[in-house]
Amino acid sequence: MSGRPDWTLAHAPLAPFAHPRTAVPPGIAPLDEAAWLYDADDRAGQLRLKAAILLGEGTIGAAGDASALGPPAMIHDEGGRAAAEELRDAVLAHAEAAGLGRRDGGHWRSREGAATPLDLDPMTVAGAATAEDWLVMEKRSGDAEHVLTAGVLAFPAFWTLSEKIGRPLLRIHRPVPDYEGDLARRVQRFFDGVRVGRPLWRANWHFSASPDIVTPMGEARKGALYEDRMPQAERAEWLRVERQTILRLPRTGAAVFGVRTLVSQVEGLTDAQWRGLHATLAAMTPAERARKAPEALFRRAAARAAAA
């Protein structure tokens, strides 16, 4: 791995902060259905970690504390199971069409050679077959919001699946600051509006001192540390981007939320990405900026933008 974990990248293929349309939430854009799954050089390393977390194969090394995850794959009820099975079939069909793997008897065999038994629960199969984590959101009769009815989460960014399963969107996002109100309504429209064959995408981003990709955190601790977490990352050497997709399943009507996590070295940012980062951070309030990047990184972005 030459000193860099194999689940990371040397450069940032996605830098949402570099473009005004994607820099701040919700930043939603159309997505070509053929690009639903995201392929990059970190895929083999991420599949290795997923096999350790989901299938108990090997160890996760320095990727974080998987023991704090709780169950990494969960299905809330029978309705969630039907949607989970439809998701598994869609994931495998897309992955095969993209050359990322194939069915081999009773197994799914990835392009890299990893084998996943197909008789496991459908969320585990979908999660182990791809670098994406998957969340199934359903809005059933009488519901005002979509509810999380199934999920597979190997690479959490400060949350756990067990605390969110069976919860509606507004409750899922607790304790995210500023989510309630206009942003919550816009996200609900995001889920309501997606159409079969016309997926959407957006991205989240933050910086870290560590390349760890497995970072679970309970709601109570997250709420207590929300304002204090960023000072711990004064040596922000890594960028974490979540490429988030939403696709409507045709049979069950469930909305599938896919999360492809990309961890890359800050040193690999291009001049244009540094300029975009500086412009985005400079436009934020001090409180908003503190949640996104430490002050030292803001100063570094300003210097790089001025020199470019």
Side-chain angles (χ1 to χ4, degrees):
M1 294 190 294
S2 302
R4 178 171 57 80
D6 62 353
W7 63 84
T8 69
L9 295 162
H11 303 284
L14 292 179
F17 47 76
H19 307 283
R21 179 177 54 80
T22 57
V24 295
I28 299 163
L31 176 71
D32 183 345
E33 192 170 9
W36 186 37
L37 304 179
Y38 192 84
D39 191 15
D41 291 342
D42 58 351
R43 203 181 98 95
Q46 293 198 11
L47 291 183
R48 177 185 62 79
L49 286 180
K50 282 195 156 193
I53 293 167
L54 299 174
L55 308 178
E57 298 176 0
T59 61
I60 67 166
D65 182 13
S67 66
L69 271 172
M74 300 181 72
I75 297 174
H76 181 56
D77 55 22
E78 285 307 306
R81 179 168 294 279
E85 290 172 349
E86 187 179 10
L87 166 63
R88 174 203 58 204
D89 295 344
V91 163
L92 297 186
H94 276 76
E96 189 159 17
L100 301 177
R102 59 184 175 83
R103 291 178 183 268
D104 182 13
H107 289 78
W108 172 262
R109 194 167 299 279
S110 73
R111 179 185 61 194
E112 295 78 10
T116 301
L118 292 172
D119 59 359
L120 299 176
D121 76 85
M123 295 309 299
T124 296
V125 173
T130 62
E132 282 81 2
D133 284 331
W134 300 106
L135 305 171
V136 175
M137 308 295 299
E138 297 187 80
K139 189 177 183 182
R140 297 172 180 173
S141 178
D143 288 343
E145 299 178 82
H146 281 73
V147 172
L148 176 60
T149 61
V152 56
L153 181 68
F155 304 146
F158 309 115
W159 64 288
T160 63
L161 183 60
S162 59
E163 285 189 319
K164 309 297 187 180
I165 196 77
R167 304 284 196 176
L169 272 170
L170 192 60
R171 176 61 182 81
I172 285 171
H173 283 85
R174 190 178 299 169
V176 175
D178 305 322
Y179 180 79
E180 295 186 19
D182 183 61
L183 180 56
R185 288 188 291 271
R186 291 165 73 184
V187 171
Q188 182 58 59
R189 288 198 297 269
F190 176 42
F191 280 89
D192 287 339
V194 67
R195 298 289 180 260
V196 173
R198 300 176 64 184
L200 304 168
W201 81 282
R202 64 174 304 275
N204 271 348
W205 56 277
H206 72 264
F207 293 92
S208 174
S210 164
D212 285 354
I213 195 173
V214 184
T215 56
M217 183 179 286
E219 287 182 357
R221 182 168 178 241
K222 182 174 180 177
L225 297 180
Y226 220 109
E227 295 301 326
D228 299 329
R229 197 169 65 234
M230 286 313 301
Q232 299 173 10
E234 280 299 317
R235 293 175 57 253
E237 298 175 358
W238 298 89
L239 167 67
R240 179 172 179 147
V241 173
E242 290 186 350
R243 177 187 186 261
Q244 301 174 348
T245 60
I246 181 169
L247 177 140
R248 180 78 66 195
L249 294 175
R251 190 174 72 248
T252 60
V256 173
F257 192 65
V259 181
R260 175 65 158 92
T261 302
L262 301 162
V263 179
S264 59
Q265 293 175 305
V266 167
E267 196 58 43
L269 293 179
T270 66
D271 287 343
Q273 289 170 341
W274 279 114
R275 289 194 300 271
L277 176 61
H278 176 252
T280 293
L281 293 177
M284 292 179 173
T285 67
E288 292 169 337
R289 189 162 61 239
R291 288 196 292 267
K292 280 296 186 182
E295 185 63 24
L297 186 63
F298 180 44
R299 293 194 300 268
R300 185 178 178 187
R304 291 292 296 264

